[in-house]
Amino acid sequence: METLFLLRQCYILTFKTFLLNIKLLIFFILQLTIIRSSLSQDCVCQIYKDNSIVVDETLSAGDKARFDNVAKYLLKSKNDFCQLTYLLINAKYKVKNHQFETWDKDIVNIETLSNKLNCPEAKFDILALKTEYFQESDQIELAVKTAYEMLYDAEKRKDEGSACIAAALLSALYWRQDDDEKALSFIPQVIKYVHQVKEEKELPGIYNWLSRNYESVYAMNDNKTYLDSAEIFADKALLTGRKLNMNFQVKTAFQSKEAIAYHRGDFNKSLRLHDSIYYYIQKSNSPVQLPMYFQMKAYTLQELGLKPVSYTHLTLPTSDLV
């Protein structure tokens, strides 16, 4: 059984070495940038404001049908801020799915419309979009440079929520560059800003990012105090995510709690948490998460001396079980 435990530990460390876990950290924090300017007092797109959690969760889960349904109302709107919001989330969706063919045209259209509007927050959204493009197209040095511009812009406007996101993004990007010292140096800044975030819906994603970050640090140095920090933030994400019906964030919080239970050797708790993860994968319509889910569950079942069951025979829980 010790061999299996080390195998999963090796799998988690391989995540970091080959960027997948770090890309998840970057992915989590970039989801929080959708679309901040349209929620401001100066440039409100009411359609987006009324549906922001749905849009954010839809983009996170990669649900194209639901995304198109919301996007069409933005596209038809005569409100310029809604038009800008549509251009931003449409470009973001394409970047996330590596559809780079129209990038040059898309960013010109976004910047042209943005320049016509009196909306200072839109600069942050555009910088966040550029950072995501550079990150997804493996131009990491440009991604870091643009993320610093995001942080400067947020601090200049005294927007603590945006500053928190930018600092977290810089930390994740430095993880990707294997610069552990710089990556860790941004965590206190994120924690300082998180207490000043005004939009409650931003908190589950930030808490989940902090939890995943601490869990990644633990995987590198086996210091169990990092697991305690990871669990504190996972619990915060779970509490706030459930309150706001943010299913994707609730799913992510359960994934963190399962990893923590596994690291601690509490395999029965790990197994119980897998049922909640599976439920919220379905509820958030994010089937892309299923292969990882089944692989992680197989490790837990093997630790308990149980034979992994083919996922085709699994039944969907009717509720999360924790």
Side-chain angles (χ1 to χ4, degrees):
M1 290 302 173
E2 178 68 19
T3 302
L4 289 171
F5 183 85
L6 290 174
L7 180 62
R8 172 159 165 166
Q9 292 295 95
C10 180
Y11 186 85
I12 293 169
L13 289 170
T14 302
F15 260 20
K16 179 177 186 299
T17 305
F18 293 102
L19 307 181
L20 182 53
N21 202 34
I22 304 310
K23 283 190 173 182
L24 282 173
L25 287 173
I26 295 170
F27 167 77
F28 291 146
I29 206 64
L30 279 168
Q31 297 318 298
L32 302 179
T33 65
I34 329 169
I35 291 293
R36 302 181 62 77
S37 59
S38 287
L39 298 176
S40 72
Q41 293 181 346
D42 296 326
C43 41
V44 174
C45 171
Q46 196 63 43
I47 298 171
Y48 175 72
K49 190 169 185 177
D50 292 343
N51 296 278
S52 60
I53 288 179
V54 173
V55 177
D56 295 2
E57 294 263 302
T58 296
L59 277 170
S60 298
D63 184 347
K64 184 67 165 63
R66 288 175 69 197
F67 169 79
D68 286 342
N69 190 47
V70 175
K72 71 181 180 182
Y73 292 105
L74 294 169
L75 186 60
K76 291 178 180 179
S77 172
K78 295 181 180 179
N79 181 302
D80 286 338
F81 298 122
C82 290
Q83 290 284 325
L84 178 61
T85 299
Y86 169 77
L87 292 174
L88 283 163
I89 62 173
N90 189 52
K92 188 176 182 72
Y93 187 92
K94 287 193 281 188
V95 167
K96 180 176 175 289
N97 290 282
H98 287 204
Q99 299 169 7
F100 301 138
E101 299 83 2
T102 61
W103 167 255
D104 290 338
K105 179 181 177 182
D106 290 342
I107 197 64
V108 167
N109 289 339
I110 289 167
E111 290 181 327
T112 299
L113 180 54
S114 177
N115 289 337
K116 294 179 181 178
L117 304 175
N118 181 25
C119 186
E121 294 90 341
K123 181 180 179 181
F124 183 89
D125 291 337
I126 294 169
L127 288 170
L129 176 62
K130 287 181 176 179
T131 303
E132 185 162 11
Y133 169 72
F134 291 136
Q135 193 276 138
E136 291 292 341
S137 58
D138 293 323
Q139 301 178 69
I140 303 304
E141 289 185 3
L142 285 174
V144 170
K145 178 178 178 293
T146 313
Y148 270 112
E149 292 180 42
M150 290 171 63
L151 183 59
Y152 175 75
D153 173 76
E155 290 180 337
K156 183 180 177 181
R157 293 184 289 103
K158 299 187 181 340
D159 181 344
E160 291 83 4
S162 293
C164 181
I165 290 167
L169 182 54
L170 279 163
S171 178
L173 288 168
Y174 278 122
W175 280 127
R176 184 168 178 185
Q177 289 187 312
D178 286 327
D179 191 335
D180 298 351
E181 186 176 350
K182 280 191 177 179
L184 288 169
S185 72
F186 279 97
I187 295 179
Q189 195 169 356
V190 175
I191 293 173
K192 179 187 80 171
Y193 280 127
V194 78
H195 297 300
Q196 303 172 38
V197 170
K198 298 179 180 67
E199 284 282 345
E200 190 177 27
K201 81 177 192 71
E202 295 171 1
L203 291 173
I206 296 170
Y207 290 147
N208 272 325
W209 181 87
L210 282 164
S211 180
R212 283 297 181 102
N213 212 341
Y214 277 116
E215 193 245 327
S216 295
V217 175
Y218 164 77
M220 288 186 290
N221 60 29
D222 201 31
N223 184 335
K224 291 190 182 298
T225 60
Y226 289 118
L227 284 185
D228 295 337
S229 297
E231 187 162 37
I232 287 169
F233 286 113
D235 286 339
K236 287 177 177 288
L238 188 59
L239 182 66
T240 316
R242 277 174 161 168
K243 175 183 174 183
L244 299 176
N245 293 316
M246 298 178 73
N247 295 321
F248 187 86
Q249 298 297 345
V250 171
K251 181 269 309 176
T252 303
F254 274 124
Q255 286 174 318
S256 292
K257 288 177 70 64
E258 184 280 321
I260 293 162
Y262 189 96
H263 285 311
R264 288 175 170 159
D266 191 343
F267 304 121
N268 286 310
K269 183 176 181 180
S270 169
L271 188 61
R272 291 196 305 273
L273 286 163
H274 275 298
D275 287 329
S276 294
I277 294 168
Y278 185 62
Y279 172 71
Y280 277 101
I281 285 175
Q282 300 295 332
K283 196 169 183 180
S284 63
N285 195 22
S286 43
V288 69
Q289 301 273 321
L290 285 173
M292 180 64 63
Y293 162 79
F294 290 118
Q295 184 148 17
M296 294 297 100
K297 185 170 183 177
Y299 286 125
T300 300
L301 289 169
Q302 288 171 323
E303 290 288 356
L304 291 168
L306 301 173
K307 183 179 179 181
V309 181
S310 169
Y311 72 87
T312 56
H313 301 300
L314 290 178
T315 57
L316 178 64
T318 57
S319 67
D320 64 273
L321 304 180
V322 176

